[in-house]
Amino acid sequence: MKKTNSTHFASPERTEKEELLRQKSIFDNLPELSFFLAAIPNIYLILNNNRQVVYANKTALDSFGFSEIGPLLGMRPGEAIHCQHSDEMEAGCGTSEACRHCGAVNAILAGLNNEKDIREFRTSTIDNESTFDYRVWTTPYKISGEDFVLFALDDISHEKRRKSLERIFFHDVLNTAGGIKGISSLIHEFPEEVNDFKDILFDSSNQLINEILTQRDLANAENNELSVVVTKLNSKSIVKFLFNIFSKQEQYKDINIFINPDITNIDFESDETLILRVLSNIVKNALEASTEGQTVTINCTQNADKVIFSIHNQRYIEEEVRLQIFQRSFTTKGEGRGLGTYSMKLLSERYLGGKVNFTSDEMAGTTFFAEYPLIFSA
């Protein structure tokens, strides 16, 4: 058994090539198994006690881009799907800090503990170009006195995305549209009081349109169909706009929103609509994480050829959330949510040439940073 470096979670040990070939031969001599698993449309793997592949059905080989099992033999599932955390540690899949909360790794460990398990997990690829949601089934399997795990994988990304969009359109958008209808009814019933309602109606209409356009832009971004319109922008104007929008919203009236007095005033090039999509999401999340009397501070600084927006709130983000925060469909807000932080990173890093990250400390609270080049380059 090959020794490798340290781990933050599952065992780092790997099986030597000769032993992997011997284990593979066990299943090569079971033609009925091969026939049965070839008929299954899901990805199906058999893993040894070091979580390494010793058998893969045709669906798995096709999905991972292999014509035969040779290149896949000895890989762990996260390495086969190019999980972004699979190369963070020398020992590979299952050994990074993020792996502690991975449904796939935990389901495999349950199988090795002689328990059946079903879990879901989400991951981005190493190049951060694609994000997937998966459902995984594991079943313990003993043969020839050796322990293995049957590992079935199903891509449920479309299911998760559909649920998220349904939540947004059938809940958030419908609520906003319902508010507009209510205001319109009042104007219809009391036309002489139209001036009392016109500003609320205007703001609600803008909110409805913005919610719809946000989802359109996200869909286009994921399909590589989003157009970037570059204009001259000013950092201080962007921050003041964010402050004016959120400081007037009734649901945040008990939270203090401040602009850092030392804010940098700098001109830069970017897409105003997309920048505001990202920063509005960050501010909204900071406000939703805050409780009555707490403060959200908006700031902007310059570092060489970058403009850096930062939004701070006083709440601490627990480790389990921190490690998954930019994954599509991950949310702390309830079933069917979770596109906010994912869209920030997608729009910033794929289209605006920027970066989004955060720090979180129990004493200092949480700060999200969104940095963009002063001069846009496609």
PDB file of all heavy atoms in Angstrom, residues 134 176 236 375:
ATOM      1  N   TYR A 134     -24.935  16.498  -7.876  1.00  0.00           N
ATOM      2  CA  TYR A 134     -25.046  15.055  -8.060  1.00  0.00           C
ATOM      3  C   TYR A 134     -25.830  14.425  -6.912  1.00  0.00           C
ATOM      4  O   TYR A 134     -25.835  14.931  -5.786  1.00  0.00           O
ATOM      5  CB  TYR A 134     -23.660  14.405  -8.086  1.00  0.00           C
ATOM      6  CG  TYR A 134     -22.815  14.722  -9.292  1.00  0.00           C
ATOM      7  CD1 TYR A 134     -21.734  15.599  -9.198  1.00  0.00           C
ATOM      8  CD2 TYR A 134     -23.079  14.130 -10.527  1.00  0.00           C
ATOM      9  CE1 TYR A 134     -20.942  15.876 -10.301  1.00  0.00           C
ATOM     10  CE2 TYR A 134     -22.290  14.398 -11.632  1.00  0.00           C
ATOM     11  CZ  TYR A 134     -21.220  15.280 -11.514  1.00  0.00           C
ATOM     12  OH  TYR A 134     -20.437  15.559 -12.609  1.00  0.00           O
ATOM     13  N   THR A 176     -43.597  39.986  -5.628  1.00  0.00           N
ATOM     14  CA  THR A 176     -43.438  41.356  -6.107  1.00  0.00           C
ATOM     15  C   THR A 176     -44.599  41.761  -6.995  1.00  0.00           C
ATOM     16  O   THR A 176     -45.137  42.872  -6.878  1.00  0.00           O
ATOM     17  CB  THR A 176     -42.111  41.499  -6.887  1.00  0.00           C
ATOM     18  OG1 THR A 176     -41.037  41.078  -6.051  1.00  0.00           O
ATOM     19  CG2 THR A 176     -41.880  42.942  -7.307  1.00  0.00           C
ATOM     20  N   LYS A 236     -17.093  55.536  -6.501  1.00  0.00           N
ATOM     21  CA  LYS A 236     -17.890  56.214  -5.480  1.00  0.00           C
ATOM     22  C   LYS A 236     -19.361  56.275  -5.886  1.00  0.00           C
ATOM     23  O   LYS A 236     -20.261  56.101  -5.049  1.00  0.00           O
ATOM     24  CB  LYS A 236     -17.350  57.631  -5.254  1.00  0.00           C
ATOM     25  CG  LYS A 236     -17.749  58.234  -3.918  1.00  0.00           C
ATOM     26  CD  LYS A 236     -16.917  59.474  -3.623  1.00  0.00           C
ATOM     27  CE  LYS A 236     -17.188  59.965  -2.204  1.00  0.00           C
ATOM     28  NZ  LYS A 236     -16.338  61.133  -1.865  1.00  0.00           N
ATOM     29  N   ILE A 375      -8.825  48.725 -16.183  1.00  0.00           N
ATOM     30  CA  ILE A 375      -9.012  48.748 -17.623  1.00  0.00           C
ATOM     31  C   ILE A 375      -9.502  47.364 -18.063  1.00  0.00           C
ATOM     32  O   ILE A 375      -8.815  46.359 -17.875  1.00  0.00           O
ATOM     33  CB  ILE A 375      -7.698  49.090 -18.363  1.00  0.00           C
ATOM     34  CG1 ILE A 375      -7.223  50.472 -17.922  1.00  0.00           C
ATOM     35  CG2 ILE A 375      -7.896  49.049 -19.875  1.00  0.00           C
ATOM     36  CD1 ILE A 375      -5.870  50.860 -18.480  1.00  0.00           C
TER      37      ILE A 375
END
